[in-house]
Amino acid sequence: RGQLVRVGSAEWLATEGVDGGNAAPVVQEAAASGHAPIAVGVDGALSLVLGVTDPVRAESAAGVARLRSLGLRVVLASGDRLEVAQALARQVGIDEVRAPLRPEDKAELVSELHRTSGSVAMVGDGINDAPALAQAQVGIAMGTGTDVAMQSAAVTLVRGDLHGIVRARRLSRATMANIRQNLCFAFVFNALAVPIAAGVLYPWTGLLLNPMIASAAMSASSITVITNALRLRRVRLG
């Protein structure tokens, strides 16, 4: 009772005048093992160092490997200490790490990668990820994360599984290919049918389209587009 307790990073406690003693080796050891060191100072003296970590999901390494097999550049952007982020990156097979980053730093990183590498997909689940999710060309939020992250992203993965990114990418590519096919069908149909309906061939051939035939042809065009779109249900996402 009556004691002043400060909890935070060892660096922050030092700025508050808390004597860290010989805690530096402990902090470094915790960070190197992938644990974020949290220091506890009581009445101006360091009393305890806690190592906190988020467990890596069992499927994360396989998910990263699948993304890299698609030729995608995978970068880990973290607000943790560099040593902590590097330890976690080694567990899942990520070579490029940027840390420690504040929320605005993550958004700037997205802009930098967009300028140098093209379109950027940002995956995040926390409040600190929201600016970067909004900045990215494709923001992907984990459904297990915060509401702010999901509101800032364009895509939400309900299960919070990295394999969902691969499935979403395959579905989006198949959808865009389907859209281009439908546009091609519509363009060819209209390029042939509309001039005939307008009477372009009438002076030479006397050919005109009966309104009933034209209506049936338009219906057939719509059916063709819808049928082609339904092929998306057969796309293999796994």
Side-chain angles (χ1 to χ4, degrees):
R1 179 178 297 179
Q3 293 178 311
L4 178 59
V5 179
R6 295 182 175 91
V7 180
S9 67
E11 294 79 7
W12 176 74
L13 261 63
T15 64
E16 293 294 309
V18 176
D19 182 11
N22 297 322
V26 178
V27 171
Q28 290 295 334
E29 181 180 356
S33 64
H35 293 74
I38 299 178
V40 180
V42 180
D43 287 340
L46 186 64
S47 299
L48 180 66
V49 176
L50 301 173
V52 181
T53 186
D54 291 327
V56 177
R57 295 174 64 107
E59 70 277 4
S60 295
V64 171
R66 291 184 67 185
L67 291 173
R68 297 185 65 175
S69 70
L70 296 173
L72 301 178
R73 177 184 176 187
V74 182
V75 181
L76 174 61
S78 173
D80 289 327
R81 296 169 63 99
L82 179 59
E83 301 90 341
V84 176
Q86 288 175 333
L88 294 175
R90 285 193 294 270
Q91 294 183 48
V92 297
I94 297 177
D95 298 327
E96 191 171 351
V97 180
R98 304 289 184 90
L101 298 179
R102 298 169 298 176
E104 57 269 28
D105 296 330
K106 292 183 179 181
E108 177 57 33
L109 173 61
V110 169
S111 298
E112 174 192 333
L113 293 175
H114 178 51
R115 291 192 299 269
T116 58
S117 303
S119 297
V120 177
M122 169 67 187
V123 184
D125 62 357
I127 296 175
N128 292 339
D129 297 321
L133 288 169
Q135 182 70 29
Q137 282 65 57
V138 181
I140 304 174
M142 295 298 185
T144 54
T146 62
D147 291 339
V148 174
M150 288 185 281
Q151 291 174 1
S152 302
V155 179
T156 298
L157 302 179
V158 177
R159 295 174 54 187
D161 181 358
L162 288 181
H163 291 285
I165 301 174
V166 178
R167 292 190 290 269
R169 182 175 184 269
R170 287 180 177 173
L171 178 59
S172 64
R173 292 172 69 90
T175 301
M176 291 306 300
N178 194 278
I179 290 173
R180 286 190 287 269
Q181 292 167 3
N182 287 339
L183 287 175
C184 182
F185 291 153
F187 176 79
V188 171
F189 175 84
N190 286 294
L192 294 175
V194 171
I196 296 176
V200 171
L201 300 179
Y202 183 77
W204 298 277
T205 65
L207 180 63
L208 284 175
L209 280 181
N210 184 287
M212 294 183 63
I213 297 177
S215 177
M218 287 300 298
S219 298
S221 173
S222 299
I223 292 173
T224 300
V225 170
I226 294 172
T227 303
N228 187 52
L230 289 175
R231 291 174 53 245
L232 290 173
R233 300 174 60 185
R234 304 176 61 182
V235 174
R236 297 185 60 181
L237 302 179

